[in-house]
Amino acid sequence: MTPALTRVRRPGITRVRRPGRSLTLTALTGIVLVYSLVPLIWLLVNATKSQQGLFSSFGLWFADDFALWDNVVETLRYDDGIFLRWLGNTLLYVLAGAGGATLLATLGGYGLAKFDFVGRRAVFAIVIGAVAVPGTALAVPTFLMFSRLGLTNTPWAVIIPSLITPFGLYLMWVFAAEAIPDELLEAARCDGASELRTLFQICLPLLAPGIVTVLLFSMVATWNNYFLPLIMLKDPDWYPLTLGLDAWNAQAATAGGQPVFHLVITGSLLTILPLLAAFLLLQRYWQSGLAAGGVKE
Amino acid sequence: MLTAPQARPRRLPRRRSLAGWQFVAPFMLVFALVFIAPIGYAIHLSLYRRQLIGGNSFVGLDNYQRALTDPQFWSALGRVAVFLAVQVPIMLFLALLVALAIDSGRLYGRSFFRVAIFLPYAVPAVVATLMWGFMYGTRFGLVGNINDALGVTLPDPLHPDLVLLSIGNIVTWEFVGYNMVIFYSALRVVPTSLYEAAEVDGAGQLRVIRAIKLPAIRGALVIATIFSIIGSFQLFNEPSILQHLAPNAITTYFTPNLYAYSLSFSGQQYNYSATVAIVMGLVTMAVAYLVQLRGIREEGR
Amino acid sequence: MNGTTVRAVAVAAAATLALAGCGSGDDPTDSAGDEQVSAADVQAALEAGGELTVWAWEPTLAEVVTGFQAAYPNVTVELVNAGTGDDQYTALQNAIAAGDGLPDVAQIEYYALPQFALAGSVTDLTGYGAGDLADTFTPGPWSSVNTGGGVHGLPMDSGPMALFYNQEVFDEHGIDVPATWDEYVDAARELHRADPQVYITNDVGDAGFTTSLIWQSGGQPFQVDGTEVTIDFTDDGSARFADTWQQLISEDLLAPVSSWSDQWYQGLADGTIASLATGAWMPANLISGVADGAGKWRVAPLPQWDAGGTASAENGGSSLAVPSAAANKALAYGFIEYANAGDGVQIRVDGGAFPATTAQLQSPEFLGTEFAYFGGQQANEIFAESAGNVVDGWSYLPFQVYANSVFNDTVGQAYVSDTPLTEALNAWRDTCVSYGTDQGFTVS
């Protein structure tokens, strides 16, 4: 466990005197913890049940049969293994979409932070303003536009809209303003480096925590993207996991359809595992990235 | 920390040129395609009317007039306003409490708390709503199980009177960790010199919180509030997915976004749907701007 | 004809079709009622081959596609599940609006077909020979596709209604199978009194169910004449339904569970939902989704409004239609003819679907099928008889998809508040009237 001193992230920052640990506070915060974890535990426990077990057992405890392995296998195999295809699609959308979004946000944030140019104030106001318009009603105009361009029912219809993250733009803007000293830029310009080179070779390492943060948050957003793919994609071969799970859930609601609730639950579990893993492994980066810069004292 | 950079005192003059545009241009180009163009098209659509019998015709501001006198639209708007007024403060308050608790250094297993409470953010809204939907079932869901086990009759979370609260619960569950992490990160950059000074003054924990921590994260609070407000006004995913479980409680005009969606996709009324969207966008922008104004004014710097 | 001539004809047909395919993307609303395509042309198209995209959620079509591709090796069919019901109609409407991405064949339920037909979005198949198929299909489905002066699709399956009930639960509480709806209400009371956990059925407001029951009762709330529409829920048939059903609502005799939800499946499995009045396609769902009920359920004729009557109605069922802007219509027609009037029918019946063809419904083999799930009962006899007794004269609104989407907003409120059903039905009427007027219809 963490020692009495704060975990030292930057040398020299320590608390002078630490009050003792409080069980009461831990217990109270523990309530929020339980609240956060109960549905996830529910998901885990119910993924071990067969469909019949689902219908006949207590929600938060196991059924008589332990079918986790069977469920996982069936999830991966059902309908000619379309789950794996959906997983592949999601990875494609995430890597291309989130990767591209991070790139655009980094470039944009850097530009907003370090340059003064005509229209600078307006840019962010416009971005926030446009985001305020409900996406669902923009869906039809976007869909009509994209189909004129012949993009619907292709991965592009999902990737291109994912390239815009206003929150990412904001984060990079703030982060770049804090983390890159103007002196560094002046020095680079004196040395004759081009602006692009300055960014990629000099500033990038400084921006790294912010970039990883934006990347992770965009990955979550694209991984969980639901509504836009719903209207853009008609071919189940191109569905991301969220759409696929929803389709499996809706399958029960049709004449002659076969309910597969146990696969929906197991599939949901499999869907969230990669994200959880990514966040757990990359904790260090995104937490410091969110801190948006360092202490300049 | 998450304050708008204008607030920082130290500022070297930059080159006023067009160099900045080469960095901002890629973002803005895609943005124009993905947002500006559809909004423009939506405005265009809102000025017309296409009928099943009669085709397309220009109707000027008729659609806007209809929206402003439409009881279903106002009912939806009222509902998200109530949702906003209740859920956002509760969620942010909870997130703040947890962030302060973790930052206080008085918890056992602090990093475990931080990560575990954040996890729900990584769950897609579809999955979260499906899970909570299963759990809300009064006959076979968790609510039903508790009823059987304890011999009580808990109220049905999907009853029309309670469904908004139940959805608020799902949204809070999804985002409290995310906001908590934003606040916590802002707290982490508070200079220790401030704490040292407070100690010298003999200030207690509560005083420290009020005088040092809260002002320090005001910027983060404002941004979190703005994004939460935008999110609340655009509430769609959760009611949409729960709708088939509670079709009488969640009407097709439950939230403005859901209303716009039903207009488009069930009724083929694309023009009116675009109008509703534009009006909602204006309302949201107005509220977000007000919040930002207030937030910046209180920063006082 | 020697081989060369045959091949020449085939090539010519293919070339014509290819050219037609190039051009047809540009006229979305030409419903092609004037095209005369003979059976020979269709056959030629099938021989020539090509690619077809079929949007359907009906599971048994997968095997039909296999059979079809085996019979006509030059044709490749891509079967896509683009959503069920409303989801797919949305996709279709979007594709029509965009003028792009339309399939060649689409599954459209009977209640939604008039909407697409009126908009000219689906091809009139009379010119392809569908006009001769009146006797191939049972009256209910045939009248549903033969609307607006044309044949807009071929019936795929049908849903003549029957009463599915859990014999074990009925026996346990000493309930007799109700023969009239009044007896049904009494049975509901008895059952719920004997065990408050058990309900005779579930209902939270279902547009399809309500309209089907009004249909059976002889009500004709929707009258359509071109673009003139009348909506009236005060006629005798509708009022009779509302009065009877109101008793069930007011006395809390209906399980507050949404159909097709996981709770619904559980309720059917453990006996707390004791019966279902629904279409003949239900056995497949019971068999696959309610395994615990095997052997416990039985089928009975639908309860009657008049003692000794035999009236019935259709509930659900879909057709296969060809969108007007589809590229390869003759080939598409060839497919749906195979699937719905040719060899495909038996393939689907073997897969558990309930047909719409008179041939199947009159075949002794079909009628004699013993359902193990229903304890060996020959349920098809009841279904077939129900199909023959469907009440005449019913029509759906030309915007029924929309109407159904707002059903729960209006009628649904009667289930969760004190609003009487008749008032709620009128609220539905009002919403539909304002929508219809807004869309350019003359509604009264």
Side-chain angles (χ1 to χ4, degrees), chain B residues 244-245 247-248, chain C residues 202-206 254-259 407-408 412 415:
Chain B
H244 77 270
L245 277 182
N248 298 324
Chain C
N202 72 298
D203 189 13
V204 287
D206 182 308
L254 298 168
V257 173
S258 218
S259 295
F407 183 82
N408 286 96
Y415 289 82

Side-chain angles (χ1 to χ4, degrees), chain A residues 144-154 156, chain C residues 100:
Chain A
L144 292 176
M145 256 177 49
F146 273 48
S147 53
R148 294 271 146 74
L149 297 170
L151 293 175
T152 47
N153 223 19
T154 66
W156 293 113
Chain C
D100 180 51

Side-chain angles (χ1 to χ4, degrees), chain A residues 18 20 22 33 35-36 58-59 107 113 116-118 131-132 134 136-137 170 195 217 224 226 249 275 280 287 290, chain B residues 2 14-17 21 23 26 105-106 114-116 118 122 124 126 130 134 145 169 173 178 181 185 234 257 277:
Chain A
R18 269 181 122 256
S22 160
L33 179 78
Y35 174 66
S36 297
F58 183 68
L107 289 175
D116 196 9
F117 52 88
V118 175
V131 168
T136 44
Y170 177 82
E195 296 294 352
F217 281 99
N224 296 344
Y226 170 70
N249 196 43
L275 277 185
L280 287 174
Q287 300 209 34
L290 275 181
Chain B
L2 293 175
R14 309 283 180 27
R15 311 192 311 177
R16 194 172 175 98
S17 67
W21 272 108
F23 292 103
R106 297 176 65 188
R114 202 171 52 220
V115 172
F118 180 74
V126 180
L130 284 178
F134 280 131
N145 291 150
N169 174 49
W173 180 81
Y178 169 77
V181 163
S185 307
Q234 298 199 9
N257 229 1

Side-chain angles (χ1 to χ4, degrees), chain A residues 20-76:
Chain A
R21 307 236 193 155
S22 160
L23 267 180
T24 330
L25 194 59
T26 312
L28 286 176
T29 321
I31 298 178
V32 182
L33 179 78
V34 167
Y35 174 66
S36 297
L37 290 184
V38 158
L40 296 175
I41 295 176
W42 181 93
L43 191 64
L44 188 58
V45 166
N46 281 278
T48 66
K49 301 179 188 172
S50 67
Q51 177 129 271
Q52 250 159 298
L54 263 182
F55 291 163
S56 57
S57 59
F58 183 68
L60 271 183
W61 196 245
F62 300 92
D64 293 331
D65 48 357
F66 190 82
L68 181 60
W69 184 244
D70 292 334
N71 281 345
V72 172
V73 168
E74 199 186 334
T75 306
L76 295 177

Side-chain angles (χ1 to χ4, degrees), chain A:
Chain A
M1 267 297 112
T2 38
L5 290 176
T6 328
R7 188 174 345 161
V8 176
R9 211 172 281 126
R10 295 173 208 86
I13 302 176
T14 58
R15 300 271 162 96
V16 172
R17 174 183 71 94
R18 269 181 122 256
R21 307 236 193 155
S22 160
L23 267 180
T24 330
L25 194 59
T26 312
L28 286 176
T29 321
I31 298 178
V32 182
L33 179 78
V34 167
Y35 174 66
S36 297
L37 290 184
V38 158
L40 296 175
I41 295 176
W42 181 93
L43 191 64
L44 188 58
V45 166
N46 281 278
T48 66
K49 301 179 188 172
S50 67
Q51 177 129 271
Q52 250 159 298
L54 263 182
F55 291 163
S56 57
S57 59
F58 183 68
L60 271 183
W61 196 245
F62 300 92
D64 293 331
D65 48 357
F66 190 82
L68 181 60
W69 184 244
D70 292 334
N71 281 345
V72 172
V73 168
E74 199 186 334
T75 306
L76 295 177
R77 270 211 218 129
Y78 189 76
D79 204 6
D80 291 332
I82 197 149
F83 190 85
L84 287 172
R85 167 89 204 211
W86 290 339
L87 179 62
N89 293 338
T90 312
L91 284 173
L92 170 66
Y93 301 144
V94 165
L95 289 175
T102 310
L103 179 65
L104 290 182
T106 306
L107 289 175
Y110 179 74
L112 282 171
K114 291 295 164 189
F115 294 85
D116 196 9
F117 52 88
V118 175
R120 189 167 155 271
R121 294 262 164 97
V123 163
F124 196 65
I126 291 177
V127 171
I128 286 284
V131 168
V133 181
T136 44
L138 286 189
V140 173
T142 316
F143 173 81
L144 292 176
M145 256 177 49
F146 273 48
S147 53
R148 294 271 146 74
L149 297 170
L151 293 175
T152 47
N153 223 19
T154 66
W156 293 113
V158 178
I159 293 176
I160 293 180
S162 327
L163 294 176
I164 301 296
T165 67
F167 188 63
L169 182 69
Y170 177 82
L171 261 183
M172 287 314 300
W173 176 10
V174 169
F175 197 76
E178 301 286 340
I180 300 181
D182 292 327
E183 302 87 38
L184 197 59
L185 288 184
E186 289 302 320
R189 284 177 198 140
C190 288
D191 283 348
S194 77
E195 296 294 352
L196 275 178
R197 240 186 104 214
T198 315
L199 170 61
F200 284 110
Q201 286 195 324
I202 301 174
C203 303
L204 216 56
L206 291 171
L207 290 174
I211 292 179
V212 174
T213 310
V214 173
L215 183 65
L216 276 175
F217 281 99
S218 327
M219 276 173 57
V220 171
T222 33
W223 189 276
N224 296 344
N225 210 355
Y226 170 70
F227 182 69
L228 197 65
L230 182 68
I231 43 155
M232 290 294 183
L233 298 175
K234 270 312 126 215
D235 188 351
D237 279 343
W238 282 115
Y239 281 178
L241 285 169
T242 47
L243 233 52
L245 287 175
D246 192 47
W248 276 358
N249 196 43
Q251 208 180 274
T254 88
Q258 188 192 18
V260 285
F261 293 115
H262 58 310
L263 295 186
V264 173
I265 292 180
T266 313
S268 300
L269 184 65
L270 293 177
T271 303
I272 65 180
L273 285 179
L275 277 185
L276 297 187
F279 269 95
L280 287 174
L281 293 174
L282 293 169
Q283 270 187 68
R284 202 154 48 101
Y285 292 98
W286 58 264
Q287 300 209 34
S288 62
L290 275 181
V295 176
K296 299 290 198 272
E297 312 214 3

